[in-house]
Amino acid sequence: MLALVHTQAAGDNGPVDSMIARLQDLAEETGMTARAIYAQDPATYETIFRTLGDAGASVIVTTFAEVGAPVKALAPQYPGTKWIQLYADPIEPALPNVATISYDYHLGCYLSGVFGALMSETGKIGYVGGASLPTLNADLNAMKAGALSVNPDITVLSAFAGSFQDPAKGQEIATQMYTEGADFIQTDAAATDGGIIAAANEADGRMVSAISPAQYRLGPATVATLVSLDFGQSLYNEVSRAMADGWTGGHVSTGLGTGVIDFIASPVFAEEGPEAQVDRIEEIWPEVEAIKQQIMEGTVEVPFDTTL
């Protein structure tokens, strides 16, 4: 059995939906049974994990930092099960049957800041995160650094919605940012992103950088780019590795050039976005790509700064 225990709800047009889809792909390829379980209440985490372990699950994939303690406590009791925690800090000391996966998403946010500053006509851009967590604080700081690297006079507005599952709050915050003059917003809030995109759709001249290709169709003329974190591909990669001979646990840091983290222009926006913005993207994109290459080569260093 392959199991996914996700702590955010499906139907997000983003991370959870992509993970479930790729889990099903793996099940079809391997002939194994796949189960996706929504663990909404932290009080149920241990029970869900024990049930899967007792059922002899081959691989349990689970999501985000909040499951760290029960995974660390229970994995040694089920040594025959391989555990994969996506978006996690390393476990010290490492456990042989647990892989923790982190994502250098802040590198993509730096590029989003570069893009937003080069694209903005108002001199104001924005960032909306789901919650003020260390990794998201780093995303915001990286976006600011990228923007300032090409325009020292840029203003970066920022806010946290307090939830990764509240589109209404996302729309409220984004509407306020656009009203204050921002013409580009980077989302970093999972299902809350839907509200941010909805706010962009309400008036001309507003752009969004989202997280998932599934969001292109939520704003075909507003979702211009993605700081793509392909959780589905990450799940597929890590489960495939876990099922290969010789796998051991440990920590995997995932960055640019891995097929999981990237900054990409929307092909839908290229077809349906405002002509002036589409032309401007084509004009500046070589500069964005050059900076991306410099980050991967190490000639541009992006700090991981978690302080606000």
Side-chain angles (χ1 to χ4, degrees), residues 98-130:
V98 179
T100 51
I101 318 300
S102 65
Y103 304 97
D104 294 334
Y105 193 75
H106 67 295
L107 303 180
C109 289
Y110 183 94
L111 293 169
S112 177
V114 169
F115 174 88
L118 292 173
M119 287 292 295
S120 179
E121 295 185 354
T122 64
K124 290 184 180 181
I125 61 176
Y127 166 94
V128 181

Side-chain angles (χ1 to χ4, degrees), residues 61-151:
V61 185
T62 188
T63 60
F64 312 136
E66 57 264 33
V67 299
V71 167
K72 186 176 181 179
L74 291 175
Q77 300 178 33
Y78 297 93
T81 296
K82 297 172 180 178
W83 302 66
I84 299 169
Q85 184 186 355
L86 302 180
Y87 217 123
D89 295 325
I91 294 175
E92 299 293 347
L95 298 174
N97 64 328
V98 179
T100 51
I101 318 300
S102 65
Y103 304 97
D104 294 334
Y105 193 75
H106 67 295
L107 303 180
C109 289
Y110 183 94
L111 293 169
S112 177
V114 169
F115 174 88
L118 292 173
M119 287 292 295
S120 179
E121 295 185 354
T122 64
K124 290 184 180 181
I125 61 176
Y127 166 94
V128 181
S132 180
L133 303 171
T135 50
L136 272 71
N137 294 349
D139 295 343
L140 168 58
N141 287 328
M143 183 183 176
K144 288 180 178 178
L148 291 169
S149 75
V150 295
N151 181 359

